[in-house]
Amino acid sequence: MPEFLWWLPAEMSIEQTACEDLKAFERRLTEVITCLQPSALRWRVVLVTVSACTAIGAYQWLTDPSTSEVAFVQSLFNHLFFAISTLTLAILFLMGIHKRVVAPSIICCRTRQVLADFNMWCDDTGKLVLKPRPTASS
């Protein structure tokens, strides 16, 4: 063995190497999902807040008796809270807030699709689960 690889064990079986690789993959997957959780929570709070503001503004706009008597644009100028919150909600969706809210779920789902080929699965935190080997039915 070359001198620069002194830290490597002399011989590792294929099973040991595979096990170490799986552990490293699991650690990295849990790290990625854990790092995405706080960001996703913040985006959820933003989405819920803007949605609630839009709903409150819509209620005020629709229950205002002058709404049906004035032009649409004038009605929106009369209810700037509704107009601004609706515009903010539209901009957030155009920026992709719907993807940021569910980013950890997207990562888990795509990882599960890949792991299915290897008879594995992962939970919502990124922990790997080995499925039992299918039995050969003859």
Side-chain angles (χ1 to χ4, degrees):
M1 180 180 297
E3 290 182 26
F4 63 89
L5 296 177
W6 60 268
W7 51 271
L8 284 177
E11 289 185 32
M12 284 184 69
S13 69
I14 293 174
E15 291 82 18
Q16 289 172 328
T17 305
C19 186
E20 291 298 318
D21 288 345
L22 283 175
K23 288 178 183 178
F25 177 74
E26 182 181 49
R27 279 193 303 270
R28 181 65 180 137
L29 183 61
T30 55
E31 178 186 339
V32 167
I33 291 173
T34 303
C35 289
L36 286 174
Q37 292 292 353
S39 176
L41 181 63
R42 281 192 295 273
W43 284 113
R44 284 183 189 124
V45 169
V46 168
L47 182 62
V48 166
T49 303
V50 173
S51 297
C53 290
T54 303
I56 292 168
Y59 175 77
Q60 292 173 345
W61 182 57
L62 292 172
T63 57
D64 185 10
S66 67
T67 299
S68 60
E69 298 170 3
V70 296
F72 176 71
V73 175
Q74 183 60 42
S75 176
L76 289 177
F77 277 116
N78 291 344
H79 297 278
L80 281 177
F81 180 71
F82 169 68
I84 291 171
S85 61
T86 302
L87 183 64
T88 304
L89 188 63
I91 290 171
L92 285 173
F93 272 103
L94 289 174
M95 287 176 31
I97 193 171
H98 55 290
K99 292 178 186 172
R100 295 171 195 219
V101 164
V102 294
S105 301
I106 291 171
I107 298 291
C108 286
C109 180
R110 290 180 182 171
T111 303
R112 284 184 193 123
Q113 290 173 351
V114 172
L115 290 175
D117 293 338
F118 300 100
N119 231 15
M120 295 169 58
W121 185 77
C122 71
D123 62 6
D124 291 336
T125 62
K127 298 289 183 195
L128 295 180
V129 178
L130 296 173
K131 293 181 182 178
R133 293 182 184 235
T135 57
S137 334
S138 302

